Amino acid sequence: MSRHQETAPPEALEPLAARELRSDARDNRERILQVARMTFAEQGIDVPMRELARRAGVGPATLYRRFPTKEALVTEAFGEQMATCAAIVEEGLADANPWHGLRTVIERVCVMHALDRGFTAAFVTAFPDAVDFAQERTRTLRSLAELIQRAKDGGGLRRDVGLDDLIMVIMANSGIRASSPKAAVAASRRFAALQIQALQAQPSGSRADTPAGTRADAAPLPPAVRLPLLAAI
């Protein structure tokens, strides 16, 4: 065969019907993931699979062919957010000032979780069969634990703070309910600032009973945000 001759690509040799079927399958999968991400962000991950199928415009059988379990759908839907979260922590770990790095991580991660209720639930839920998701989360938590220790060693973070305390901050932050994404971000930033001041080590020579909010070195809080009260259940 001449070097100028080209063979047809494998997909060109497939019957047209087969290629169309593959295209439809890809479209269905992407539509399901898009709907799942939007719905989980608004309502959390407890939305029934049949409801997700209805919103995506596919039958339950199609949904289960693409994602046999809820766990498979949740971990696939939040793979990108998990990677982003991991990158944020790694950037904080690379900061020459560990306390500044940790503060930045808290601020950015809190905003992420305030905008996406589903991601918080996915992050703190054990998914034993989702190996990749679990491994990425484990690496992220180990990096965060290392950053916490560095911030302690540098004198910026209270000595009695641990990884579980940061997880508690993330979980509490996810409870923010606001009238708009913009308001949620503003509320999250104020909440993060409050938590950062509580986590900060007291300056040497300061009285132990001095409230953190009255310290001379305490940064001003972001503006307060009026949040809607939830209706009684």
Side-chain angles (χ1 to χ4, degrees):
M1 179 184 294
S2 167
R3 64 187 181 89
H4 296 293
Q5 289 180 292
E6 297 182 0
T7 58
E11 60 269 20
L13 300 178
E14 290 182 317
L16 179 59
R19 296 204 302 274
E20 289 176 345
L21 180 60
R22 290 194 352 172
S23 176
D24 287 346
R26 285 195 300 269
D27 290 345
N28 284 340
R29 185 177 188 279
E30 289 306 312
R31 187 162 61 252
I32 291 167
L33 282 172
Q34 183 179 16
V35 167
R37 291 181 183 115
M38 292 176 59
T39 307
F40 290 153
E42 295 170 357
Q43 302 181 28
I45 62 175
D46 292 331
V47 183
M49 292 284 271
R50 285 185 173 272
E51 174 62 15
L52 293 171
R54 185 190 67 78
R55 294 188 180 201
V58 300
T62 297
L63 173 59
Y64 281 107
R65 274 199 301 272
R66 305 290 170 254
F67 303 98
T69 65
K70 183 74 164 292
E71 175 181 315
L73 177 56
V74 169
T75 54
E76 179 73 14
F78 289 115
E80 184 176 338
Q81 285 93 327
M82 181 62 77
T84 299
C85 188
I88 289 172
V89 175
E90 290 301 323
E91 288 176 21
L93 197 57
D95 196 313
N97 182 332
W99 173 236
H100 178 268
L102 182 60
R103 293 200 322 262
T104 303
V105 168
I106 293 171
E107 291 164 354
R108 295 177 64 187
V109 169
C110 278
V111 168
M112 275 189 68
H113 286 266
L115 291 173
D116 196 327
R117 294 172 60 185
F119 181 47
T120 304
F123 191 85
V124 300
T125 301
F127 294 117
D129 297 327
V131 177
D132 292 343
F133 190 88
Q135 288 179 342
E136 184 75 359
R137 176 173 53 198
T138 299
R139 284 192 295 268
T140 299
L141 291 176
R142 284 176 178 167
S143 294
L144 183 56
E146 182 179 349
L147 179 56
I148 288 171
Q149 187 59 52
R150 290 185 186 182
K152 288 182 186 179
D153 294 341
L157 180 66
R158 291 173 54 137
R159 299 295 303 177
D160 55 354
V161 171
L163 179 60
D164 287 341
D165 296 305
L166 271 294
I167 299 299
M168 184 167 56
V169 169
I170 291 171
M171 294 175 69
N173 173 81
S174 71
I176 291 174
R177 300 292 180 267
S179 56
S180 68
K182 182 178 179 180
V185 169
S188 178
R189 286 176 174 157
R190 183 174 174 89
F191 176 79
L194 286 165
Q195 299 311 304
I196 287 168
Q197 289 194 14
L199 296 170
Q200 187 173 8
Q202 290 280 352
S204 58
S206 64
R207 291 175 51 189
D209 60 348
T210 301
T214 63
R215 291 203 314 247
D217 65 332
L221 292 174
V225 179
R226 176 163 294 181
L227 301 175
L229 296 177
L230 299 180
I233 298 176

